[in-house]
Amino acid sequence: MEVYASMEQVEAYFNNHASWFSRCAEPMKVNPLSENSYALVVGKFGAFGYDVEPKIGLELSTLQDRKYHIRTIPLPDYQAPGYEVDYKSLTRLIDGVDGITRVEWELDLVVELHFPKFIQRLPHALIQSTGDRILNQIVHQISRRLTHQVKKDFYKSLNIPFPPRK
């Protein structure tokens, strides 16, 4: 994404995630765990009559060298029922031209689901393709929504009108 603001303004915003992360992650439920970590309930998803409501712990690093990391952390007193998530992301801030800062995001996501026996009777290829499709939809939907919300919130924090979508 591109934002019409200086690198310093974008860095200051990202480093103050306590002021925007919970609000921008909606409709996901977010609860702070510490100064740099959150419990996040992603939503309810499923197929073949089997639903999960993933809840993960995320730790957000402070910005260093214009890079910002987020990774999964264990949630206190919580054992995920039937799934494991390993989330790692890297956000880079890049100086652009004419006061534009570019924000690039990379995601490394591994999700393991432990299905009940009635699902394991289905063909493995069907289970795999359905799981991949659902996961891709979730990541795409959350990424688009979160990007839009962060950008909108960033401009609002600076009292700058939100530019129209291209």
Side-chain angles (χ1 to χ4, degrees), residues 102-146:
R102 213 168 73 235
V103 181
E104 292 183 350
W105 181 65
E106 292 177 24
L107 174 64
D108 180 8
L109 178 65
V110 176
V111 177
E112 289 184 31
L113 290 173
H114 309 282
F115 292 109
K117 292 205 183 297
F118 77 91
I119 297 245
Q120 293 176 16
R121 291 185 184 120
L122 297 170
H124 178 74
L126 177 63
I127 295 170
Q128 184 71 46
S129 65
T130 302
D132 288 346
R133 184 175 37 81
I134 290 171
L135 186 57
N136 284 333
Q137 287 175 343
I138 293 167
V139 169
H140 182 72
Q141 178 183 339
I142 290 172
S143 174
R144 282 185 49 222
R145 185 179 328 136
L146 189 57

Side-chain angles (χ1 to χ4, degrees), residues 57-68:
L58 293 179
E59 180 181 64
L60 287 70
S61 71
T62 54
L63 204 59
Q64 294 180 340
D65 300 324
R66 297 183 173 170
K67 293 178 184 170
Y68 187 72

Side-chain angles (χ1 to χ4, degrees), residues 17-35:
H17 53 79
S19 73
W20 59 265
F21 185 73
S22 296
R23 184 174 54 252
C24 291
E26 288 179 356
M28 294 181 285
K29 296 177 185 121
V30 178
N31 292 314
L33 297 173
S34 72
E35 185 178 332

